[in-house]
Amino acid sequence: MKIIRTDRCYWIISIDDKIVQLSRYRYRIDLGVVENVENILKIIEDVFMWRRTFLDVRGLINGTNLFVLLDAIYPESTIELFDNLYRKQFSTSHMNFKDFFFHVFSFTYETRYNKFPLAKKLNSIIPTVCCKIAPTNPNPKRKYNYTRPKPVIPRTVQNEAFTVTYISTVGNIANFTVNTSTLEICLSGKPYMRNPAEVMDAIISIQDALKTNDRTKLESIVEHIGSITVISIMQICYPSLAIDYFVNVCDCIVRRREPIYPQSVLRHYFKQAPYRGPARAFFYEILSILEEKTPYWYNKLVEGNQQEILSSKSSWILFYFINISSLAYYKVSFIGAETLQTEIRYYLYNRSTISGKNIDTHFIYLAAYNINICIDIFYNCLDIYVESIRSLTKVDVQLLRSYFLQNTNYNYKTINMCLSSLHYFYKFITGIDSSNPSSAFYKIQFSHRLANPTVPLSQQAKDAILRNLFTLPAVAQIGIKISCCTGLRSGSFNELMTSSLIHRDDKYILRVFLKKTCKYRIKNNLPVFNDYRIPKELGIEIEQFIADTQDLRNTLKKPYLLVYQPASRRADTKFLPVVLDGDALYYYLSKLLRGANLYTPKGTPETASLRSIRAEIGRTLFASGKNANEVSSFLGNSPMVAQTHYDNYRPIDDAKMYDKLWQETVEKGIAAHTKQKLLPQTVMYGTCNSQKECPGKDCRKCPSLIKCKEGDCTN
């Protein structure tokens, strides 16, 4: 035996001078190792000696590889085994070739197997056996000259734990009793499941798969007898074992640091839930148990971030909570030389844990993304190989900045962020500040950020939101109304509690926590809350909403105001409710505008968000005669921000941003590093016009640059 070649898709192996090509599709063991191939062949030989079955082989390799090995190494033994098994099967009932093939080899026969010589020989066994065992009078019109014997099916099969009894068949539904429970099996495409012995085999096989956590074996059983039958057997025979199995599956997913979705886990095994009966109830019982454990798995994934950023993997998976009950993740990849990747990992780890609290996953993703853009340009566009950030030079940085401005389509904010991220990375690793002449960023100019007001909503967009607001869920309607009354930021929106609504006499006040500027306000003895007077009708609507959603709120640790269950979840879900945030409102507002088919002058679909509503409120206040101090007091920001962002109707276009970026970086850089023109110097023979600095000791080396005293430079 010899391994000839291994590539991404196949293993090429020589066995007894016979070349076989084995697929790597969904492989569980590496067949590019001689010892593993020998172990597989030993198991196949045990099958021919009636010690094991092909189901044991299928647990290790896929069906195509098994058939390739049988065709190349064991054709005679396979034909003999197939013939003996079919003779035994034919004595009780007839079974067509494809069904019996699956019964023997535990994988489905496909048309592409016809190219193998073994497939043709196996195909010829069934008519040969049928004609020899049950001959009849010749009838030239019939394909095979035999009469099928009437099946003799035992009505009851039992072992130490279970007794399976066949009751009847109505239509294509076979009815059984397993101990004292009723089992219904759909015979569509599975006529052999009328036999109680097949049901008993399935019960035993399911138990083995659940106990050993054998995913491949369980998937094979589901393919053989159907997902609904498997769920029904689990519900009757092994309910606790099945629940433990799927909990363990989810634990394995979490250990691999993959996102966990309970319904997707079950749908991977069972394409659909049973449509009625105890099996359907059991399916949703498993789903409910998995959903109840989901917060525990979410916390495990987030806690695993600490171990993840300490690893030397080529990519990190970092999980974070987008709200109190929803999880998302960043995938951070590293490119470049090994030394450079190690430096990036070290930088991200130290900068993200500098506060000593939770890991700043957003910083890690953003910094890695920006640095990767720079490295990609160095490697693939500028042909500069940066082995370590310590080897970066000032020329490299100048070339990078020029390439960004002249050859890429990144906007000015992205360019500034990429260069700044690279600068901070360089400064952290080398310890050299940009004011040091030896720094690669010495006198490198960065553009100052321009005040860029939010794009205003068109009148058609405002009309569409007001006209179709009633079509949204109640929580979204209240959220949009609150934002139109207060101009809240997204961060403050998440902090609204039931206690935020204050009812005094006939007045309703919404007290809002200014989360973004709270540290600045505490430092300067400013209030961290704003009180907004809201209409009485809205206050009554919020009170009614609080009463209607109190059951959802009781499942949370804090009494959040705007809680809801998404429409995509089923009514009896065990998932924790969701708190309405800025991203959800952006989705609902944009949904209204998409329904109205509104587009911007650039041809892109018009969108709206909390930022858009906040900007509209600021512009409206300035238009009504308010000054910058009054507007900033209402919106909770500084007067300068209010003046530059809301007292200006039109945003700055991209061309102006690029012009300013070019002027403040490249042109200033060129001017700073351009030598001043030298004035003519008086030398021995006259006046020298050279722009090179020289001591002027021997002017005979460059006589053409000397203007003689008498005006003649030829002598």
Side-chain angles (χ1 to χ4, degrees):
M1 187 179 302
K2 181 182 179 182
I3 308 298
I4 299 177
R5 189 175 76 250
T6 298
D7 56 30
R8 292 181 59 186
C9 300
Y10 298 101
W11 294 289
I12 310 297
I13 304 174
S14 173
I15 304 176
D16 293 340
D17 297 329
K18 295 180 180 179
I19 307 299
V20 294
Q21 177 177 280
L22 303 179
S23 170
R24 296 172 66 95
Y25 175 70
R26 295 185 70 174
Y27 72 93
R28 299 190 66 181
I29 64 173
D30 187 2
L31 297 181
V33 179
V34 174
E35 291 78 7
N36 292 341
V37 181
E38 290 176 347
N39 292 335
I40 294 295
L41 297 182
K42 288 178 182 178
I43 297 175
I44 294 176
E45 291 168 359
D46 287 343
V47 174
F48 296 133
M49 299 179 69
W50 303 90
R51 295 173 181 169
R52 309 183 75 164
T53 65
F54 283 113
L55 188 61
D56 299 322
V57 187
R58 280 283 290 113
L60 301 174
I61 62 175
N62 60 46
T64 302
N65 288 345
L66 173 57
F67 200 77
V68 168
L69 291 174
L70 294 177
D71 178 76
I73 313 300
Y74 306 107
E76 295 83 4
S77 301
T78 305
I79 294 170
E80 181 181 355
L81 177 67
F82 194 85
D83 183 82
N84 291 333
L85 291 175
Y86 190 76
R87 288 176 185 275
K88 181 180 178 181
Q89 172 67 31
F90 190 77
S91 63
T92 58
S93 65
H94 171 75
M95 188 181 293
N96 63 41
F97 173 73
K98 288 189 177 181
D99 290 340
F100 189 70
F101 185 92
F102 184 89
H103 177 74
V104 174
F105 298 108
S106 300
F107 65 93
T108 305
Y109 184 83
E110 299 179 15
T111 307
R112 57 195 176 97
Y113 297 152
N114 291 338
K115 63 183 179 181
F116 294 103
L118 179 60
K120 298 178 182 179
K121 295 178 181 178
L122 295 180
N123 259 304
S124 65
I125 289 176
I126 289 182
T128 304
V129 171
C130 293
C131 292
K132 286 182 178 180
I133 294 180
T136 62
N137 295 327
N139 186 349
K141 294 183 179 180
R142 299 182 60 177
K143 183 177 181 181
Y144 301 128
N145 195 17
Y146 67 91
T147 300
R148 296 179 182 176
K150 186 176 181 179
V152 180
I153 302 176
R155 299 187 66 87
T156 301
V157 177
Q158 63 181 4
N159 62 9
E160 297 82 1
F162 302 103
T163 300
V164 180
T165 303
Y166 171 74
I167 304 300
S168 63
T169 300
V170 180
N172 66 340
I173 302 296
N175 296 288
F176 298 85
T177 59
V178 180
N179 292 348
T180 59
S181 302
T182 302
L183 174 64
E184 295 182 347
I185 298 178
C186 178
L187 301 177
S188 177
K190 302 180 287 292
Y192 46 85
M193 290 306 295
R194 188 183 287 108
N195 189 341
E198 291 285 347
V199 179
M200 180 62 76
D201 289 342
I203 292 173
I204 296 172
S205 298
I206 290 173
Q207 183 185 27
D208 293 340
L210 295 178
K211 281 187 174 180
T212 58
N213 292 320
D214 193 334
R215 172 179 171 179
T216 304
K217 187 173 184 178
L218 186 58
E219 289 177 351
S220 176
I221 297 169
V222 170
E223 184 179 0
H224 182 47
I225 67 175
S227 60
I228 297 178
T229 304
V230 172
I231 297 175
S232 300
I233 292 175
M234 287 180 177
Q235 181 264 327
I236 294 172
C237 303
Y238 316 108
S240 59
L241 196 60
I243 292 171
D244 292 342
Y245 173 83
F246 287 108
V247 169
N248 184 67
V249 169
C250 293
D251 285 335
C252 293
I253 292 174
V254 172
R255 284 195 292 270
R256 295 196 301 268
R257 292 196 60 76
E258 297 176 2
I260 183 76
Y261 307 108
Q263 193 159 17
S264 298
V265 171
L266 293 182
R267 291 295 173 90
H268 177 79
Y269 291 87
F270 316 116
K271 301 304 180 185
Q272 61 181 11
Y275 51 87
R276 63 183 177 87
R280 179 178 178 84
F282 182 65
F283 178 89
Y284 283 106
E285 180 185 350
I286 297 175
L287 183 58
S288 297
I289 292 172
L290 298 183
E291 288 177 348
E292 287 179 348
K293 290 183 68 66
T294 299
Y296 166 77
W297 288 319
Y298 281 176
N299 290 326
K300 281 292 183 183
L301 289 171
V302 174
E303 291 170 2
N305 289 344
Q306 182 69 35
Q307 188 66 29
E308 186 77 357
I309 63 176
L310 288 171
S311 69
S312 58
K313 298 178 181 177
S314 60
S315 63
W316 290 344
I317 303 293
L318 302 176
F319 291 87
Y320 64 96
F321 287 101
I322 53 178
N323 56 51
I324 58 172
S325 61
S326 300
L327 195 72
Y329 66 94
Y330 292 124
K331 184 173 183 180
V332 181
S333 300
F334 303 103
I335 61 175
E338 288 295 331
T339 304
L340 184 61
Q341 291 186 29
T342 302
E343 291 172 343
I344 295 174
R345 283 190 285 264
Y346 178 73
Y347 166 69
L348 295 178
Y349 169 75
N350 285 277
R351 283 296 303 273
S352 63
T353 57
I354 195 170
S355 62
K357 298 180 180 179
N358 295 331
I359 296 171
D360 190 349
T361 55
H362 181 69
F363 166 79
I364 292 178
Y365 173 75
L366 197 60
Y369 176 78
N370 294 332
I371 293 172
N372 282 347
I373 291 177
C374 298
I375 296 173
D376 180 69
I377 293 176
F378 277 136
Y379 278 52
N380 299 320
C381 302
L382 298 176
D383 200 21
I384 297 174
Y385 182 74
V386 182
E387 185 176 0
S388 168
I389 194 64
R390 299 176 187 275
S391 64
L392 197 67
T393 65
K394 191 172 185 179
V395 175
D396 297 338
V397 177
Q398 290 172 337
L399 289 173
L400 174 65
R401 185 179 58 185
S402 299
Y403 187 88
F404 263 126
L405 295 172
Q406 300 178 49
N407 300 94
T408 68
N409 295 322
Y410 294 115
N411 61 41
Y412 87 107
K413 289 183 180 179
T414 304
I415 296 174
N416 262 348
M417 288 173 61
C418 291
L419 292 174
S420 297
S421 297
L422 188 67
H423 174 216
Y424 290 131
F425 173 42
Y426 175 85
K427 180 180 177 181
F428 182 86
I429 296 297
T430 61
I432 302 175
D433 192 75
S434 58
S435 60
N436 191 321
S438 62
S439 171
F441 290 85
Y442 179 64
K443 289 187 178 181
I444 297 293
Q445 301 292 328
F446 289 91
S447 173
H448 299 291
R449 183 174 180 179
L450 298 177
N452 188 27
T454 305
V455 177
L457 291 173
S458 65
Q459 188 59 44
Q460 294 84 354
K462 299 175 187 176
D463 294 340
I465 292 173
L466 296 176
R467 184 172 58 252
N468 300 314
L469 184 61
F470 72 95
T471 62
L472 297 179
V475 65
Q477 295 183 39
I478 294 175
I480 293 173
K481 291 175 183 178
I482 289 176
S483 64
C484 291
C485 292
T486 61
L488 290 186
R489 294 187 179 96
S490 180
S492 299
F493 213 86
N494 301 343
E495 299 296 326
L496 290 177
M497 305 289 173
T498 53
S499 58
S500 301
L501 182 66
I502 302 172
H503 186 188
R504 295 174 183 167
D505 300 329
D506 291 338
K507 298 179 181 178
Y508 284 90
I509 296 173
L510 197 66
R511 177 162 289 179
V512 176
F513 174 61
L514 303 175
K515 183 178 180 180
K516 182 176 181 180
T517 58
C518 67
K519 292 183 179 179
Y520 171 82
R521 289 174 171 274
I522 292 172
K523 184 178 180 180
N524 293 275
N525 295 321
L526 297 173
V528 295
F529 290 92
N530 257 5
D531 288 346
Y532 295 95
R533 175 83 178 272
I534 61 175
K536 181 179 178 180
E537 295 79 8
L538 178 57
I540 295 173
E541 187 177 357
I542 294 175
E543 285 182 335
Q544 184 61 43
F545 177 79
I546 292 174
D548 294 340
T549 57
Q550 191 58 42
D551 291 340
L552 295 177
R553 205 169 285 107
N554 291 337
T555 62
L556 302 176
K557 295 181 180 179
K558 294 183 180 180
Y560 292 98
L561 177 60
L562 301 175
V563 297
Y564 69 104
Q565 285 287 11
S568 58
R569 296 180 180 177
R570 67 183 198 282
D572 58 343
T573 181
K574 299 299 181 181
F575 278 125
L576 293 176
V578 178
V579 178
L580 188 72
D581 57 6
D583 291 336
L585 273 184
Y586 170 79
Y587 165 78
Y588 285 118
L589 288 168
S590 300
K591 181 180 179 181
L592 294 179
L593 299 183
R594 285 197 304 270
N597 291 323
L598 296 178
Y599 294 88
T600 64
K602 295 182 178 180
T604 59
E606 190 162 358
T607 59
S609 63
L610 285 177
R611 183 181 176 89
S612 305
I613 296 175
R614 181 178 173 84
E616 291 295 327
I617 292 175
R619 295 188 183 100
T620 303
L621 291 175
F622 272 111
S624 65
K626 303 289 184 182
N627 58 36
N629 289 326
E630 293 172 321
V631 174
S632 66
S633 176
F634 184 85
L635 294 177
N637 50 19
S638 68
M640 182 184 68
V641 171
Q643 186 74 45
T644 55
H645 284 69
Y646 307 133
D647 194 18
N648 187 346
Y649 189 76
R650 294 184 178 181
I652 304 172
D653 60 3
D654 290 340
K656 185 173 181 179
M657 296 179 188
Y658 273 107
D659 287 345
K660 185 172 180 61
L661 182 63
W662 178 271
Q663 293 168 3
E664 291 192 357
T665 58
V666 176
E667 288 187 0
K668 282 188 177 181
I670 294 173
H673 297 88
T674 301
K675 293 183 179 180
Q676 298 294 328
K677 188 174 182 180
L678 297 178
L679 297 175
Q681 301 179 21
T682 302
V683 292
M684 182 181 296
Y685 298 100
T687 303
C688 176
N689 296 314
S690 173
Q691 293 298 311
K692 294 192 299 182
E693 295 181 0
C694 69
K697 292 183 178 180
D698 190 357
C699 294
R700 290 175 295 179
K701 294 182 179 180
C702 44
S704 61
L705 299 177
I706 303 298
K707 183 178 180 181
C708 297
K709 296 178 181 180
E710 299 168 356
D712 185 8
C713 61
T714 57
N715 187 354

